[in-house]
Amino acid sequence: MIWVGALQTKGQLSRLEPYKKDVRVVTVYTHTFVLGNEKGLADDREDPFYTATGATPEEAEAAAHMVYLRATACTHDMKRTSPTLLECSHCGVQQRTPMHVSHQPEAKAKQKKPARLFGLFRAS
């Protein structure tokens, strides 16, 4: 299926889950789409994206397609959910952001290290 203006990737992962008194392998399928920008290019590091999971590839694709249809008509009211992630409260797409720089007080930032003279500390 072709989704206009979106880059799609499919994947699968296996994980161990407890089952009664034993452990079993469970396979989960993923379907990720990245909405393209105004130039028609899609980059999952900068543009909104969404990853759906399912028990089958078809189930994951159907879940992602429903979000894609909502996301194409959404205005994206992004709220911060973690230091590096924004999420739209209406359609659920996410967007990565760079890590915020912690602001240090000016006094700490301007402290100088003592100068060294032949491996010994020199009084400043």
Side-chain angles (χ1 to χ4, degrees):
M1 180 183 313
I2 297 175
W3 300 2
V4 178
L7 173 71
Q8 301 176 62
T9 56
K10 298 176 183 183
Q12 118 183 24
L13 59 101
S14 298
R15 62 179 177 216
L16 297 174
E17 287 188 356
Y19 179 71
K20 296 183 182 177
K21 292 186 178 185
D22 200 10
V23 176
R24 66 178 176 177
V25 177
V26 175
T27 302
V28 178
Y29 297 91
T30 62
H31 193 99
T32 302
F33 70 87
V34 181
L35 293 175
N37 56 21
E38 51 278 344
K39 295 178 184 175
L41 304 173
D43 183 3
D44 65 341
R45 294 170 294 174
E46 298 174 2
D47 298 320
F49 69 94
Y50 183 80
T51 301
T53 59
T56 64
E58 294 80 18
E59 186 179 308
E61 183 177 5
H65 191 257
M66 289 177 57
V67 174
Y68 165 77
L69 293 175
R70 280 190 305 211
T72 54
C74 185
T75 59
H76 302 308
D77 179 28
M78 298 297 217
K79 305 277 190 220
R80 185 162 301 281
T81 58
S82 75
T84 59
L85 196 65
L86 300 172
E87 185 173 338
C88 178
S89 58
H90 302 295
C91 65
V93 295
Q94 299 174 332
Q95 187 172 7
R96 291 183 178 89
T97 60
M99 192 75 145
H100 289 294
V101 177
S102 61
H103 298 288
Q104 297 179 351
E106 292 296 322
K108 284 187 178 181
K110 290 187 178 184
Q111 282 181 346
K112 289 186 175 180
K113 292 183 180 180
R116 289 184 170 221
L117 179 63
F118 301 111
L120 301 172
F121 287 104
R122 180 173 36 159
S124 304

